[in-house]
Amino acid sequence: MNHTRTWTDLYGSACALFEGRAGGHRWLVAAPPERASELPATLQALDGKGEVRLLVHEGLTPLLAALHEGPVRGVLIVGGRTLTAGPEVTVPEQEVEDRGGVVYREGGTFPAWTAALDLGGAEGECPAASAAASLGVPVVVVSPEGVRTALEAWMDATPHGR
């Protein structure tokens, strides 16, 4: 896929757009800063149609905002390991001030979730996956090393996906 655009969202999160061949779907890859360094190269090596938006974020509000911006076929959450499902989680409410000076509150209870694609792995808590599931968005959680394989497998399992 070709890297076509980079910007910063309202919350100071780094965003990048990668576009593939015509057709396909819109996907979101969301990662915390400590797991994002190799992702641009990984997404450029991806063979697929449609587009992938990379969101490098802290907290859940930037992720929820990105999911509200436009429909995506699914969100791939980059975590410490591959997970198949996770329990309901409660994130303590807190006031957050981002690097741009925007102050907002985040937190709450988010539902249990099940991965949209079976990649093996165990069950485990993942607040970002629970937050995505609260909006009805299909979610997959993988380690940084598994991003390309997981996204290509998900595209392959989706009609007109790759």
Side-chain angles (χ1 to χ4, degrees):
M1 298 192 117
N2 296 314
H3 176 218
T4 58
R5 185 171 162 223
T6 302
W7 69 99
T8 304
D9 72 4
L10 172 68
Y11 303 99
S13 302
C15 303
L17 182 64
F18 296 83
E19 295 180 292
R21 296 183 309 280
H25 300 280
R26 295 179 67 204
W27 303 88
L28 178 66
V29 173
E34 65 272 12
R35 293 195 176 102
S37 63
E38 300 299 320
L39 294 179
T42 298
L43 295 175
Q44 282 186 298
L46 183 68
D47 175 35
K49 296 189 299 187
E51 63 182 44
V52 176
R53 178 176 170 190
L54 172 61
L55 173 69
V56 180
H57 66 99
E58 294 186 55
L60 300 179
T61 300
L63 172 61
L64 291 169
L67 292 170
H68 279 293
E69 282 180 15
V72 295
R73 179 70 179 169
V75 59
L76 193 145
I77 305 293
V78 182
R81 61 190 172 123
T82 299
L83 298 174
T84 59
E88 175 181 278
V89 296
T90 298
V91 177
E93 291 201 23
Q94 62 179 337
E95 189 170 278
V96 178
E97 182 174 350
D98 74 11
R99 295 179 185 143
V102 174
V103 178
Y104 57 93
R105 294 195 57 77
E106 74 171 21
T109 299
F110 299 97
W113 60 276
T114 300
L117 183 66
D118 184 7
L119 299 171
E123 290 191 18
E125 187 175 293
C126 181
S130 291
S134 75
L135 298 178
V137 177
V139 63
V140 169
V141 178
V142 297
S143 66
E145 301 79 27
V147 168
R148 180 178 177 185
T149 302
L151 198 48
E152 286 179 347
W154 205 356
M155 288 176 169
D156 287 344
T158 304
H160 310 291
R162 196 162 87 122

